[in-house]
Coordinates of all heavy atoms in Angstrom, one line a residue:
M1 N -120.4 -23.9 -18.0 CA -119.4 -24.5 -18.9 C -118.1 -23.7 -18.8 O -117.0 -24.3 -18.9 CB -120.0 -24.4 -20.3 CG -119.1 -25.0 -21.3 SD -119.0 -26.7 -21.1 CE -117.9 -27.1 -22.4
L2 N -118.2 -22.4 -18.6 CA -117.0 -21.6 -18.5 C -116.1 -22.0 -17.3 O -114.9 -22.1 -17.4 CB -117.3 -20.1 -18.5 CG -116.1 -19.2 -18.4 CD1 -115.2 -19.3 -19.6 CD2 -116.6 -17.7 -18.3
F3 N -116.8 -22.2 -16.2 CA -116.1 -22.6 -15.0 C -115.4 -23.9 -15.1 O -114.2 -24.0 -14.7 CB -117.1 -22.7 -13.8 CG -116.5 -23.1 -12.5 CD1 -115.7 -22.2 -11.8 CD2 -116.7 -24.4 -12.0 CE1 -115.1 -22.6 -10.6 CE2 -116.1 -24.8 -10.8 CZ -115.3 -23.9 -10.1
I4 N -116.0 -24.9 -15.7 CA -115.4 -26.2 -15.9 C -114.2 -26.0 -16.9 O -113.1 -26.6 -16.6 CB -116.4 -27.2 -16.5 CG1 -117.5 -27.5 -15.4 CG2 -115.8 -28.5 -16.9 CD1 -118.7 -28.2 -16.0
C5 N -114.4 -25.2 -17.9 CA -113.3 -25.0 -18.8 C -112.1 -24.4 -18.2 O -110.9 -24.8 -18.4 CB -113.8 -24.1 -20.0 SG -112.6 -23.8 -21.2
I6 N -112.3 -23.4 -17.3 CA -111.2 -22.7 -16.6 C -110.5 -23.6 -15.6 O -109.3 -23.7 -15.5 CB -111.7 -21.4 -16.0 CG1 -112.1 -20.4 -17.0 CG2 -110.7 -20.9 -15.0 CD1 -112.7 -19.2 -16.5
V7 N -111.3 -24.4 -14.9 CA -110.8 -25.3 -13.9 C -109.9 -26.4 -14.5 O -108.9 -26.7 -14.1 CB -111.9 -25.9 -13.0 CG1 -111.4 -27.1 -12.2 CG2 -112.5 -24.8 -12.1
L8 N -110.4 -26.9 -15.7 CA -109.7 -28.0 -16.3 C -108.4 -27.5 -17.1 O -107.5 -28.2 -17.4 CB -110.6 -28.8 -17.3 CG -111.6 -29.6 -16.6 CD1 -112.5 -30.3 -17.6 CD2 -111.0 -30.6 -15.7
S9 N -108.4 -26.2 -17.4 CA -107.2 -25.6 -18.1 C -106.1 -25.2 -17.1 O -105.0 -25.1 -17.6 CB -107.6 -24.4 -18.9 OG -108.0 -23.3 -18.0
I10 N -106.3 -25.2 -15.8 CA -105.3 -24.8 -14.9 C -104.1 -25.8 -14.9 O -103.0 -25.4 -15.0 CB -105.9 -24.7 -13.5 CG1 -106.8 -23.4 -13.4 CG2 -104.8 -24.6 -12.4 CD1 -107.6 -23.3 -12.1
P11 N -104.4 -27.2 -14.9 CA -103.3 -28.1 -15.0 C -102.5 -28.0 -16.3 O -101.3 -28.2 -16.4 CB -103.9 -29.5 -14.8 CG -105.2 -29.2 -14.2 CD -105.6 -27.9 -14.6
V12 N -103.3 -27.7 -17.4 CA -102.6 -27.6 -18.7 C -101.6 -26.4 -18.7 O -100.5 -26.5 -19.1 CB -103.7 -27.4 -19.8 CG1 -103.0 -27.1 -21.1 CG2 -104.5 -28.6 -19.9
Y13 N -102.1 -25.2 -18.1 CA -101.2 -24.1 -18.0 C -100.0 -24.4 -17.1 O -98.9 -24.0 -17.4 CB -101.9 -22.9 -17.5 CG -102.7 -22.1 -18.5 CD1 -104.1 -22.1 -18.4 CD2 -102.1 -21.5 -19.6 CE1 -104.8 -21.4 -19.4 CE2 -102.8 -20.8 -20.5 CZ -104.2 -20.7 -20.4 OH -104.9 -20.1 -21.4
G14 N -100.3 -25.1 -16.0 CA -99.2 -25.5 -15.1 C -98.1 -26.3 -15.8 O -96.9 -26.1 -15.6
Y15 N -98.6 -27.3 -16.5 CA -97.6 -28.2 -17.2 C -96.9 -27.5 -18.3 O -95.7 -27.7 -18.5 CB -98.4 -29.4 -17.8 CG -97.5 -30.4 -18.5 CD1 -96.7 -31.3 -17.7 CD2 -97.4 -30.5 -19.8 CE1 -95.8 -32.2 -18.3 CE2 -96.5 -31.3 -20.5 CZ -95.7 -32.2 -19.7 OH -94.9 -33.1 -20.3
C16 N -97.6 -26.6 -19.0 CA -96.9 -25.8 -20.1 C -95.9 -24.9 -19.5 O -94.8 -24.7 -20.1 CB -97.9 -25.1 -20.9 SG -98.9 -26.1 -22.0
I17 N -96.2 -24.2 -18.4 CA -95.2 -23.3 -17.8 C -94.0 -24.1 -17.3 O -92.8 -23.7 -17.4 CB -95.9 -22.5 -16.7 CG1 -96.8 -21.5 -17.3 CG2 -94.8 -21.8 -15.8 CD1 -97.7 -20.8 -16.3
W18 N -94.3 -25.3 -16.7 CA -93.2 -26.1 -16.2 C -92.3 -26.6 -17.4 O -91.1 -26.7 -17.3 CB -93.8 -27.3 -15.5 CG -92.8 -28.3 -15.0 CD1 -91.7 -28.1 -14.2 CD2 -92.9 -29.7 -15.1 NE1 -91.1 -29.2 -13.9 CE2 -91.8 -30.3 -14.4 CE3 -93.8 -30.6 -15.7 CZ2 -91.5 -31.6 -14.4 CZ3 -93.5 -31.9 -15.7 CH2 -92.4 -32.4 -15.0
S19 N -93.0 -26.9 -18.5 CA -92.2 -27.3 -19.7 C -91.3 -26.2 -20.3 O -90.3 -26.5 -20.8 CB -93.2 -27.8 -20.8 OG -93.9 -28.9 -20.4
L20 N -91.8 -25.0 -20.1 CA -91.0 -23.9 -20.6 C -89.7 -23.7 -19.7 O -88.6 -23.4 -20.3 CB -91.7 -22.5 -20.5 CG -92.7 -22.3 -21.6 CD1 -93.5 -21.0 -21.3 CD2 -92.0 -22.1 -22.9
Y21 N -89.8 -23.9 -18.4 CA -88.7 -23.6 -17.6 C -87.8 -24.9 -17.3 O -86.6 -24.7 -17.1 CB -89.1 -23.1 -16.2 CG -89.6 -21.7 -16.3 CD1 -91.0 -21.4 -16.2 CD2 -88.8 -20.6 -16.6 CE1 -91.5 -20.1 -16.3 CE2 -89.3 -19.4 -16.8 CZ -90.6 -19.1 -16.6 OH -91.1 -17.8 -16.7
D22 N -88.4 -26.0 -17.5 CA -87.6 -27.3 -17.2 C -88.0 -28.3 -18.3 O -88.7 -29.3 -17.9 CB -87.8 -27.8 -15.8 CG -86.7 -28.7 -15.4 OD1 -85.8 -28.9 -16.1 OD2 -86.8 -29.2 -14.2
P23 N -87.6 -28.2 -19.5 CA -88.1 -29.1 -20.6 C -87.5 -30.5 -20.4 O -88.2 -31.5 -20.8 CB -87.6 -28.5 -21.9 CG -86.6 -27.5 -21.5 CD -86.8 -27.1 -20.1
E24 N -86.4 -30.7 -19.8 CA -85.8 -32.0 -19.7 C -86.7 -32.9 -18.7 O -86.9 -34.0 -19.0 CB -84.4 -32.0 -19.2 CG -83.4 -31.4 -20.2 CD -83.2 -29.9 -20.0 OE1 -83.8 -29.3 -19.1 OE2 -82.4 -29.4 -20.8
E25 N -87.0 -32.3 -17.6 CA -87.9 -33.0 -16.6 C -89.3 -33.2 -17.1 O -89.8 -34.3 -16.9 CB -87.9 -32.2 -15.3 CG -86.7 -32.2 -14.5 CD -86.3 -33.6 -14.0 OE1 -87.2 -34.3 -13.6 OE2 -85.1 -33.9 -14.1
S26 N -89.8 -32.3 -17.9 CA -91.2 -32.5 -18.4 C -91.2 -33.5 -19.5 O -92.2 -34.2 -19.7 CB -91.8 -31.2 -18.9 OG -91.1 -30.7 -20.1
F27 N -90.1 -33.7 -20.2 CA -89.9 -34.7 -21.3 C -90.0 -36.1 -20.6 O -90.5 -37.0 -21.2 CB -88.6 -34.5 -22.0 CG -88.4 -35.5 -23.1 CD1 -89.2 -35.5 -24.3 CD2 -87.4 -36.5 -22.9 CE1 -88.9 -36.5 -25.2 CE2 -87.2 -37.4 -23.9 CZ -87.9 -37.4 -25.1
L28 N -89.4 -36.2 -19.5 CA -89.3 -37.5 -18.8 C -90.4 -37.8 -17.8 O -90.4 -38.7 -17.1 CB -88.0 -37.7 -18.1 CG -86.7 -37.7 -19.0 CD1 -85.5 -37.7 -18.2 CD2 -86.8 -38.9 -19.9
F29 N -91.4 -36.9 -17.8 CA -92.5 -37.0 -16.8 C -93.3 -38.3 -17.1 O -93.8 -38.5 -18.2 CB -93.4 -35.8 -17.0 CG -94.5 -35.6 -15.9 CD1 -94.1 -35.6 -14.6 CD2 -95.8 -35.5 -16.3 CE1 -95.1 -35.4 -13.6 CE2 -96.8 -35.4 -15.3 CZ -96.4 -35.4 -14.0
F30 N -93.4 -39.2 -16.1 CA -94.1 -40.5 -16.2 C -93.4 -41.4 -17.2 O -93.9 -42.5 -17.5 CB -95.6 -40.4 -16.7 CG -96.5 -39.8 -15.6 CD1 -97.3 -38.8 -15.9 CD2 -96.5 -40.3 -14.3 CE1 -98.2 -38.3 -15.0 CE2 -97.3 -39.8 -13.4 CZ -98.2 -38.8 -13.7
E31 N -92.2 -41.1 -17.6 CA -91.4 -42.0 -18.5 C -90.1 -42.4 -18.0 O -89.4 -43.1 -18.6 CB -91.2 -41.2 -19.9 CG -92.5 -40.9 -20.6 CD -93.2 -42.1 -21.1 OE1 -92.5 -43.1 -21.5 OE2 -94.4 -42.1 -21.2
R32 N -89.7 -41.9 -16.8 CA -88.4 -42.1 -16.3 C -88.2 -43.6 -15.9 O -87.1 -44.1 -16.0 CB -88.2 -41.2 -15.0 CG -86.8 -41.2 -14.5 CD -86.6 -40.2 -13.4 NE -87.0 -38.9 -13.7 CZ -86.2 -38.0 -14.3 NH1 -85.0 -38.4 -14.6 NH2 -86.6 -36.8 -14.5
W33 N -89.2 -44.3 -15.6 CA -89.1 -45.7 -15.2 C -88.7 -46.6 -16.4 O -88.2 -47.7 -16.2 CB -90.5 -46.2 -14.7 CG -91.6 -46.2 -15.7 CD1 -92.4 -45.2 -16.0 CD2 -91.9 -47.2 -16.6 NE1 -93.3 -45.5 -17.0 CE2 -93.0 -46.8 -17.4 CE3 -91.4 -48.5 -16.9 CZ2 -93.5 -47.5 -18.4 CZ3 -92.0 -49.3 -17.9 CH2 -93.1 -48.8 -18.7
R34 N -88.8 -46.1 -17.6 CA -88.4 -46.9 -18.8 C -86.9 -46.9 -19.0 O -86.4 -47.8 -19.8 CB -89.1 -46.3 -20.0 CG -90.6 -46.3 -19.9 CD -91.2 -45.5 -21.0 NE -91.4 -46.4 -22.2 CZ -91.8 -45.9 -23.3 NH1 -91.9 -44.6 -23.6 NH2 -92.0 -46.8 -24.3
Y35 N -86.2 -46.0 -18.4 CA -84.7 -45.9 -18.7 C -83.9 -46.3 -17.4 O -84.3 -45.9 -16.3 CB -84.4 -44.5 -19.1 CG -85.2 -44.0 -20.3 CD1 -86.2 -43.1 -20.1 CD2 -85.0 -44.5 -21.5 CE1 -87.0 -42.6 -21.1 CE2 -85.8 -44.1 -22.6 CZ -86.8 -43.1 -22.4 OH -87.5 -42.7 -23.4
K36 N -82.8 -47.0 -17.6 CA -81.9 -47.2 -16.5 C -81.1 -46.0 -16.2 O -80.8 -45.7 -15.1 CB -81.0 -48.4 -16.9 CG -81.7 -49.7 -16.9 CD -80.7 -50.8 -17.2 CE -81.5 -52.2 -17.2 NZ -80.6 -53.3 -17.5
E37 N -80.6 -45.3 -17.3 CA -79.9 -44.0 -17.1 C -80.8 -42.9 -17.7 O -81.5 -43.2 -18.6 CB -78.6 -44.1 -17.8 CG -77.6 -45.1 -17.2 CD -76.3 -45.2 -18.0 OE1 -76.1 -44.4 -18.9 OE2 -75.5 -46.1 -17.7
T38 N -80.6 -41.7 -17.2 CA -81.3 -40.6 -17.8 C -80.8 -40.3 -19.2 O -79.7 -40.0 -19.3 CB -81.2 -39.4 -16.8 OG1 -81.6 -39.7 -15.5 CG2 -82.0 -38.3 -17.3
P39 N -81.7 -40.3 -20.2 CA -81.3 -40.0 -21.5 C -81.0 -38.5 -21.7 O -81.6 -37.7 -21.0 CB -82.4 -40.5 -22.4 CG -83.6 -40.4 -21.5 CD -83.1 -40.7 -20.1
E40 N -80.1 -38.2 -22.6 CA -79.8 -36.8 -22.9 C -80.8 -36.3 -23.9 O -81.2 -37.0 -24.8 CB -78.4 -36.7 -23.5 CG -77.3 -37.0 -22.5 CD -76.0 -36.7 -23.1 OE1 -75.9 -35.8 -24.0 OE2 -75.0 -37.3 -22.6
V41 N -81.3 -35.1 -23.7 CA -82.3 -34.5 -24.5 C -81.5 -33.5 -25.4 O -80.8 -32.6 -24.9 CB -83.3 -33.7 -23.7 CG1 -84.4 -33.1 -24.6 CG2 -84.0 -34.7 -22.7
S42 N -81.7 -33.6 -26.7 CA -81.0 -32.7 -27.6 C -81.5 -31.3 -27.6 O -82.6 -31.0 -27.1 CB -81.0 -33.2 -29.0 OG -82.3 -33.1 -29.5
D43 N -80.8 -30.3 -28.1 CA -81.2 -29.0 -28.2 C -82.5 -28.8 -29.1 O -83.3 -28.0 -28.8 CB -80.1 -28.1 -28.8 CG -78.9 -28.0 -27.8 OD1 -79.1 -28.2 -26.6 OD2 -77.8 -27.7 -28.3
L44 N -82.6 -29.6 -30.1 CA -83.7 -29.5 -31.0 C -85.0 -30.0 -30.2 O -86.1 -29.4 -30.3 CB -83.5 -30.4 -32.2 CG -84.7 -30.4 -33.2 CD1 -85.0 -29.0 -33.8 CD2 -84.4 -31.4 -34.3
Q45 N -84.8 -31.1 -29.4 CA -86.0 -31.5 -28.6 C -86.4 -30.5 -27.6 O -87.6 -30.3 -27.4 CB -85.6 -32.8 -27.9 CG -85.6 -34.0 -28.8 CD -85.2 -35.3 -28.0 OE1 -84.2 -35.2 -27.2 NE2 -85.8 -36.4 -28.3
I46 N -85.4 -29.8 -27.0 CA -85.8 -28.8 -26.0 C -86.5 -27.6 -26.7 O -87.5 -27.1 -26.2 CB -84.5 -28.3 -25.3 CG1 -83.9 -29.4 -24.4 CG2 -84.7 -27.0 -24.5 CD1 -82.6 -29.0 -23.8
K47 N -86.0 -27.3 -27.9 CA -86.7 -26.2 -28.6 C -88.1 -26.6 -29.0 O -89.1 -25.8 -28.9 CB -85.9 -25.8 -29.8 CG -86.3 -24.6 -30.5 CD -85.4 -24.2 -31.7 CE -84.0 -23.9 -31.2 NZ -83.2 -23.5 -32.3
L48 N -88.3 -27.8 -29.4 CA -89.6 -28.3 -29.8 C -90.6 -28.4 -28.6 O -91.8 -28.1 -28.8 CB -89.5 -29.6 -30.6 CG -89.0 -29.6 -32.0 CD1 -88.8 -31.0 -32.5 CD2 -89.8 -28.7 -32.9
I49 N -90.1 -28.8 -27.5 CA -90.9 -28.9 -26.3 C -91.4 -27.5 -25.9 O -92.5 -27.3 -25.5 CB -90.1 -29.5 -25.1 CG1 -89.9 -31.0 -25.4 CG2 -90.8 -29.3 -23.8 CD1 -88.9 -31.7 -24.5
R50 N -90.5 -26.5 -25.9 CA -90.8 -25.1 -25.6 C -91.8 -24.6 -26.6 O -92.8 -23.9 -26.2 CB -89.6 -24.3 -25.5 CG -88.8 -24.6 -24.3 CD -87.6 -23.7 -24.1 NE -87.0 -24.0 -22.8 CZ -85.7 -23.7 -22.6 NH1 -85.0 -23.1 -23.5 NH2 -85.2 -23.9 -21.4
I51 N -91.6 -24.8 -27.9 CA -92.5 -24.3 -28.9 C -93.9 -24.9 -28.7 O -94.9 -24.3 -28.8 CB -92.0 -24.5 -30.3 CG1 -90.8 -23.6 -30.6 CG2 -93.1 -24.3 -31.4 CD1 -90.0 -23.9 -31.8
G52 N -93.9 -26.2 -28.4 CA -95.2 -26.9 -28.2 C -95.9 -26.5 -27.0 O -97.2 -26.4 -27.1
S53 N -95.2 -26.1 -26.0 CA -95.9 -25.7 -24.8 C -96.5 -24.3 -25.0 O -97.6 -24.0 -24.5 CB -95.0 -25.7 -23.5 OG -93.9 -24.8 -23.7
V54 N -95.8 -23.4 -25.7 CA -96.3 -22.1 -26.0 C -97.5 -22.2 -26.9 O -98.5 -21.5 -26.7 CB -95.2 -21.2 -26.7 CG1 -95.8 -19.9 -27.2 CG2 -94.1 -20.8 -25.6
F55 N -97.4 -23.1 -27.9 CA -98.5 -23.3 -28.8 C -99.8 -23.8 -28.1 O -100.9 -23.4 -28.3 CB -98.1 -24.3 -29.9 CG -99.1 -24.6 -30.9 CD1 -99.4 -23.6 -31.9 CD2 -99.8 -25.8 -31.0 CE1 -100.4 -23.8 -32.9 CE2 -100.7 -26.0 -32.0 CZ -101.0 -25.0 -32.9
A56 N -99.5 -24.8 -27.1 CA -100.6 -25.3 -26.3 C -101.3 -24.2 -25.5 O -102.5 -24.2 -25.4 CB -100.2 -26.4 -25.5
M57 N -100.5 -23.3 -24.9 CA -101.0 -22.3 -24.1 C -101.9 -21.3 -24.9 O -102.9 -20.8 -24.5 CB -100.0 -21.5 -23.3 CG -99.4 -22.3 -22.2 SD -98.3 -21.5 -21.0 CE -97.3 -20.5 -21.9
V58 N -101.4 -21.0 -26.1 CA -102.2 -20.1 -27.0 C -103.5 -20.8 -27.4 O -104.5 -20.1 -27.4 CB -101.3 -19.8 -28.3 CG1 -102.1 -19.1 -29.4 CG2 -100.1 -18.9 -27.9
I59 N -103.5 -22.1 -27.8 CA -104.7 -22.8 -28.2 C -105.7 -22.8 -27.0 O -106.9 -22.6 -27.2 CB -104.4 -24.2 -28.7 CG1 -103.5 -24.1 -30.0 CG2 -105.6 -25.0 -28.9 CD1 -104.3 -23.4 -31.1
V60 N -105.2 -23.1 -25.8 CA -106.1 -23.2 -24.6 C -106.7 -21.8 -24.3 O -107.9 -21.7 -24.0 CB -105.4 -23.8 -23.4 CG1 -106.2 -23.6 -22.2 CG2 -105.1 -25.2 -23.7
T61 N -105.9 -20.8 -24.5 CA -106.4 -19.4 -24.2 C -107.4 -19.0 -25.2 O -108.5 -18.4 -24.9 CB -105.2 -18.4 -24.3 OG1 -104.2 -18.8 -23.3 CG2 -105.7 -17.0 -24.0
I62 N -107.2 -19.4 -26.5 CA -108.2 -19.1 -27.5 C -109.5 -19.9 -27.2 O -110.6 -19.3 -27.4 CB -107.7 -19.4 -28.9 CG1 -106.6 -18.4 -29.3 CG2 -108.8 -19.4 -30.0 CD1 -105.8 -18.8 -30.6
Y63 N -109.4 -21.1 -26.8 CA -110.6 -21.9 -26.5 C -111.3 -21.3 -25.3 O -112.6 -21.2 -25.3 CB -110.1 -23.3 -26.1 CG -111.3 -24.2 -25.7 CD1 -112.2 -24.6 -26.6 CD2 -111.4 -24.6 -24.4 CE1 -113.3 -25.4 -26.3 CE2 -112.5 -25.4 -24.0 CZ -113.4 -25.8 -24.9 OH -114.4 -26.6 -24.6
I64 N -110.6 -20.8 -24.3 CA -111.3 -20.2 -23.1 C -112.0 -18.9 -23.6 O -113.2 -18.6 -23.1 CB -110.3 -19.9 -22.0 CG1 -109.9 -21.2 -21.4 CG2 -110.9 -19.0 -20.9 CD1 -108.8 -21.1 -20.3
I65 N -111.4 -18.1 -24.4 CA -112.0 -16.9 -24.9 C -113.3 -17.2 -25.7 O -114.3 -16.6 -25.5 CB -111.0 -16.1 -25.7 CG1 -110.0 -15.5 -24.8 CG2 -111.7 -15.0 -26.5 CD1 -108.8 -14.9 -25.6
V66 N -113.2 -18.2 -26.6 CA -114.4 -18.6 -27.4 C -115.5 -19.1 -26.5 O -116.7 -18.8 -26.6 CB -114.0 -19.7 -28.4 CG1 -115.2 -20.3 -29.0 CG2 -113.1 -19.1 -29.5
V67 N -115.2 -19.9 -25.4 CA -116.2 -20.4 -24.5 C -116.8 -19.2 -23.7 O -118.0 -19.2 -23.5 CB -115.6 -21.5 -23.6 CG1 -116.6 -21.8 -22.4 CG2 -115.3 -22.7 -24.4
A68 N -116.0 -18.3 -23.3 CA -116.5 -17.1 -22.6 C -117.4 -16.3 -23.4 O -118.5 -15.8 -23.0 CB -115.3 -16.3 -22.1
V69 N -117.1 -16.1 -24.7 CA -117.9 -15.3 -25.6 C -119.2 -16.0 -25.8 O -120.3 -15.4 -25.8 CB -117.2 -15.0 -26.9 CG1 -118.1 -14.5 -28.0 CG2 -116.1 -14.1 -26.7
N70 N -119.2 -17.3 -26.0 CA -120.4 -18.1 -26.2 C -121.3 -18.1 -24.9 O -122.5 -18.3 -25.0 CB -120.1 -19.5 -26.7 CG -119.7 -19.5 -28.1 OD1 -120.0 -18.6 -28.9 ND2 -118.9 -20.5 -28.5
T71 N -120.6 -18.1 -23.8 CA -121.4 -18.2 -22.5 C -122.1 -16.9 -22.3 O -123.3 -16.9 -21.9 CB -120.4 -18.4 -21.4 OG1 -119.8 -19.7 -21.6 CG2 -121.2 -18.5 -20.1
F72 N -121.5 -15.7 -22.6 CA -122.1 -14.5 -22.2 C -122.9 -13.8 -23.4 O -123.3 -12.7 -23.3 CB -121.0 -13.5 -21.7 CG -120.5 -14.0 -20.4 CD1 -119.2 -14.4 -20.3 CD2 -121.3 -14.0 -19.2 CE1 -118.7 -14.8 -19.1 CE2 -120.8 -14.5 -18.0 CZ -119.5 -14.8 -17.9
R73 N -123.0 -14.5 -24.5 CA -123.7 -14.0 -25.7 C -125.2 -14.2 -25.4 O -125.6 -15.3 -25.0 CB -123.3 -14.6 -26.9 CG -123.9 -14.0 -28.1 CD -123.5 -14.5 -29.4 NE -122.5 -15.6 -29.3 CZ -122.1 -16.3 -30.3 NH1 -122.6 -16.1 -31.5 NH2 -121.2 -17.3 -30.2
P74 N -126.0 -13.2 -25.6 CA -127.5 -13.4 -25.4 C -128.1 -14.3 -26.3 O -127.8 -14.6 -27.4 CB -128.1 -12.0 -25.5 CG -127.1 -11.2 -26.1 CD -125.8 -11.9 -26.0

C-alpha cells in the first residue's frame, strides 16, 4: 500500500511544484482550448494557486506519513 501511495503521489507533487513556479500555466492546464485569447490571471488568483499547491503538498505528505506508520506498525 505504501508503494502505491508513493507512486501515485509523484504526479501530485510534480503538479504542485509546477504550480508554485508557473501558476499562470498551471491555471490554464487543459483549459486553454476554451479561450480564444489567453486570459489574464489576477494577483489574488496567483496567490490562491500557490497557497493551494502548498496546502496540497502538506496534505499529501501527511497522508504518506500516516500510511507509512500504519504499514510498519506491528
Side-chain angles (χ1 to χ4, degrees):
M1 182 68 181
L2 180 63
F3 178 74
I4 294 171
C5 180
I6 291 172
V7 168
L8 292 178
S9 69
I10 291 171
V12 173
Y13 279 115
Y15 183 76
C16 288
I17 291 170
W18 179 50
S19 296
L20 280 174
Y21 290 111
D22 199 4
E24 293 91 0
E25 288 295 320
S26 68
F27 178 71
L28 295 172
F29 190 57
F30 288 129
E31 298 290 326
R32 193 175 300 275
W33 63 271
R34 298 169 93 189
Y35 306 107
K36 289 183 180 180
E37 296 178 5
T38 304
E40 291 187 25
V41 181
S42 69
D43 292 335
L44 180 63
Q45 283 177 320
I46 291 172
K47 192 178 292 185
L48 288 174
I49 291 169
R50 288 184 175 158
I51 289 171
S53 63
V54 169
F55 184 71
M57 288 193 316
V58 168
I59 295 296
V60 170
T61 303
I62 290 170
Y63 178 71
I64 290 174
I65 290 170
V66 168
V67 169
V69 168
N70 287 336
T71 301
F72 294 114
R73 187 176 0 172

